[in-house]
Amino acid sequence: MEKTEFITVIMPFKDKLYRLAKRILVSKDEAEDAVQEVFLKLWNGKQNIENYKNPEAFAITMTKNYCLDRLKSKQASNLKIVHSNYQTSENIEKRIEANDGVEMVFRIMETLPEQQRIVLQLRDVEQFEFSEIAQMLDSNETAIRVALSRARKAVRDEMIKNYKYGIG
């Protein structure tokens, strides 16, 4: 596989990889590093890319695994505490009005268990099919549907709690 062919096959889903990495790692810098590492691994194994039925699903699986490994590694032990793009909740009402609740949903997603957060990202944000998600996460479609349902319920309950805060 030549450079131009690699670019045409891999580059179209670069943003998806970044969004998934950012959802897992939270930090913009860490997410960018993760995507670069995955691209490097894909480039080094470019002769095998043609053997994969779905290179995009393979790249997403690689990204997910790399990010989870980063979170488990010793050098990432302070990652969630010291990353530079953490936003405080100074004035939630203004942000909700300004961003129409989208930012709140993403903040709530960060509090979900890892599996639910990844499934919600892949299904509702990236719009993958259940079969594709099951393949990426090495799971079955029923487990993916259950995780998605639980994630959506948790987000919904938290949104209701936040919107009803101080009422009644």
Side-chain angles (χ1 to χ4, degrees), residues 36-89:
Q36 284 180 350
E37 283 295 321
V38 169
F39 274 5
L40 182 62
K41 289 179 183 183
L42 287 168
W43 175 253
N44 289 336
K46 64 185 176 284
Q47 68 277 3
N48 297 326
I49 289 177
E50 296 165 352
N51 299 334
Y52 298 116
K53 194 187 317 186
N54 186 344
E56 182 179 14
F58 179 69
I60 286 176
T61 302
M62 284 180 67
T63 303
K64 174 201 66 138
N65 291 339
Y66 179 82
C67 292
L68 294 177
D69 288 346
R70 286 285 298 135
L71 286 177
K72 292 174 188 172
S73 73
K74 287 183 180 178
Q75 64 186 128
S77 62
N78 294 328
L79 184 61
K80 288 201 172 196
I81 297 170
V82 299
H83 62 78
S84 61
N85 64 333
Y86 183 77
Q87 298 174 352
T88 60
S89 56

Side-chain angles (χ1 to χ4, degrees), residues 86-150:
Y86 183 77
Q87 298 174 352
T88 60
S89 56
E90 293 156 342
N91 194 337
I92 293 176
E93 289 178 350
K94 284 184 182 177
R95 286 197 300 193
I96 291 171
E97 291 170 5
N99 296 323
D100 200 24
V102 173
E103 187 174 330
M104 181 182 278
V105 170
F106 285 135
R107 245 190 7 262
I108 293 168
M109 282 175 66
E110 291 175 7
T111 67
L112 294 175
E114 192 172 274
Q115 182 77 1
Q116 290 178 12
R117 184 173 62 234
I118 292 171
V119 169
L120 193 61
Q121 174 76 22
L122 291 174
R123 178 67 181 161
D124 289 349
V125 177
E126 305 299 341
Q127 302 290 307
F128 281 103
E129 297 297 322
F130 287 106
S131 59
E132 295 173 310
I133 298 169
Q135 180 185 2
M136 288 177 216
L137 301 181
D138 196 27
S139 187
N140 62 54
E141 286 187 46
T142 305
I144 298 302
R145 289 178 192 276
V146 168
L148 180 63
S149 175
R150 289 179 181 165

Side-chain angles (χ1 to χ4, degrees), residues 20-39:
L20 176 63
K22 187 168 181 312
R23 179 71 49 221
I24 296 171
L25 297 172
V26 182
S27 168
K28 291 176 185 176
D29 295 335
E30 287 290 329
E32 289 171 0
D33 290 348
V35 172
Q36 284 180 350
E37 283 295 321
V38 169
F39 274 5

Side-chain angles (χ1 to χ4, degrees), residues 6-17:
F6 179 83
I7 289 172
T8 57
V9 171
I10 302 298
M11 291 308 280
F13 45 88
K14 178 183 179 189
D15 291 340
K16 286 182 183 180
L17 299 180

